[in-house]
Amino acid sequence: MTDATVTPPMRAKGKSLMADDARTQKRNAAERRFKAYGIIAILVGLSFLVFLATSILRNGIPAFTQTVVQVEFTLTQEEFDAAEGTLLKTSAYTDVFVSKLTEQVSAQGLDVEVDGKAVERLLGKVGGDLREFYKENPDQIGQPAQFQLAAASRVERYLQGKLTRDMVVDGRFLEKTDLDIVDALVDAGIITSAFDWNFITGTDTGVDNPGGAGIGASVIGSFFMMLVVLFLSLPIGVAASIYLEEFAPKNRFTDLIEVNISNLAAVPSIVFGILGLAVFIQFAHLPQSAPLVGGLVLTLMTLPTIVISTRASLKAVPPSIRDAALGVGASKMQSVFHHVLPLAMPGILTGTIIGLAQALGETAPLLLIGMVGFVAREYPDGLASGLLDPNSAMPAQIYTWAARSDEAFFEKAWGGIIVLLLFLMTMNIIAIILRRRFERRW
Amino acid sequence: MDDYYTTDRKMSTMQDTKIAASGVQVYYADNHAIKDVNVDIGDKTVTAFIGPSGCGKSTFLRCLNRMNDTIDICRVEGDIKIDGEDIYDKKVDPVQLRAKVGMVFQKPNPFPKSIYDNVAYGPKIHGLASSKADLDNIVEKALRRGAIWDEVKDRLHAPGTGLSGGQQQRLCIARAVATEPEVLLMDEPCSALDPIATAQVEELIDELRQNYAVVIVTHSMQQAARVSQKTAFFHLGNLVEYDDTDTIFTNPKDPRTESYISGRIG
């Protein structure tokens, strides 16, 4: 016990623990600085995100509402017969509409002059719509009916304050007197704002009708493309990675394949577009602008992502599990499918969803296979038509709108981005739910 | 007690040879890991492989059920016969071999599934059970042989990974015996266990001897002395000495064996 009395050599003898020495202070300062950098980086990232989200919402929300003219009136049988009897039927209907509107306006005690030309400038060709409605629903004749007619984009922009009186040059599109009518109708509650279901369910329209343009058809186009991508890239990608990771001999050839897969993941997407054009359309003669071709091209693009993430998650499964399965006499395939794959499933799903999200937002390859432009005009009716009929996809539709000259389409583009993001969020939520289900604790 | 063991050991030397290995060479790429090993392993006997780390005893063990096949760079030469059949013959499917030669690993590695599924997996893939009740019986029998039935019978559907280390290792033994193997290979089965769990597993090994040829790799010479009837000492890839456990520990012929046992090398 004499050893106990020997004092061990002490560094910095006699120094109090209560005061930091210079070295400690320096280290602590470095740590504080590093933390501050981290916080600054997060704040910068967050502020970008907030800026992005607010600008998308501010610009995009108006696309979901629509300025409508609400008119309630009854078309009598005599009026119907009279209009059908004339030579210019639609203009006869317009006249009827104008007279009814005038009635309503004067009933409210407003003093504005409404004529057929002004109505046409404000609402487009009303007569045709009315005639169509009564031809299709003859039983509505003699009944009071509610009409919601979309106002022209200029009216909308006037109400939003983007178009001022000084900017209006009298002409074919809008006259200053029309703005008086608009003001009066707004006061009377005839012009109101309503949720625009047509934007979500509708199809693309011509360049002269931004108000009627909807993203519905291209949502369906995107949906069919995602179906193709999912059903091709997931099985092909997972099968390829299982073979490479678990079965393939490790030699120069498989090394080469591995390097090439990593390189493919970095190939610009437009290259895949050219490849798709050459192989699927020019060589295999698949139809242009078809979601099937789009899906095939995006499958090529998504495969490397899925292969890389699947291989990484297969590698992460501890080898002891494989040993255990082989040790009880499972075949290689049984050990992979019964034990390794279920454990790798969460990682595979994460990779798949990242790949799908990339594919969903991809525009460049679609440019080359003709899915950009005035394509999303019609709804597909069924699976085959959904895959083979010309359609667009959400990002391509957004691109198309953003490229048009009428400013009203920009708003639609912003609104389209919101729909795209919602679609993406839905996909992510499904993936998270699936992953939770597959996740196992050890 | 002593007499019992002695007679027992004498009997065991007279037992039929279960595994006969002759001229076994193993290479990892250019590294000659096992050099010309000849060994006959008896049925219903516990054979211990001892030796310093890296001496090749685990490698040799893994040759006996062809687990080395999973390592690309590993090459095995020579003859290993089980019941007179060459297990490295082209006609032999390693999967079938592994059903006959079960293995327990160093680290307990239950599947991340329920206790029941862990044990039932082998019988299921080998088609040993004709019905659910049959499978239940097999599972119970295996868990009893693994000396763990009493501890888990009330929670068969709890995850196997939730058990303690010793319980997990006994579960793995139960899983290995569930497929009715003839040989049981154990690669340092107690190295991750505490002394009490070790004692339980050792007791179990002694019981398993009634039905199987057991080959155990161990770092602990005391363990080899406690559980085995025959002991093989490996050094630098060579089989230095192979004899009755008593002889090895009391009267080794080779000076290297003596040095290792007395703690001078290793």
Side-chain angles (χ1 to χ4, degrees), chain A residues 250 320-321 323-331 334 338-339 343 440 442, chain B residues 67 70 72 95 98 103 105 109-113 121 125-126 161 175 179:
Chain A
K250 302 273 171 288
S320 68
I321 294 294
D323 281 352
L326 294 177
V328 297
S331 67
Q334 283 171 329
H338 295 166
H339 301 290
L343 291 175
R440 274 182 233 219
W442 354 23
Chain B
M67 280 301 271
T70 56
D72 276 333
V95 170
R98 287 179 203 136
M103 187 154 190
F105 297 86
N109 55 354
F111 300 128
K113 296 184 174 192
Y121 180 70
I125 58 171
H126 295 299
T161 41
R175 182 177 66 190
T179 52

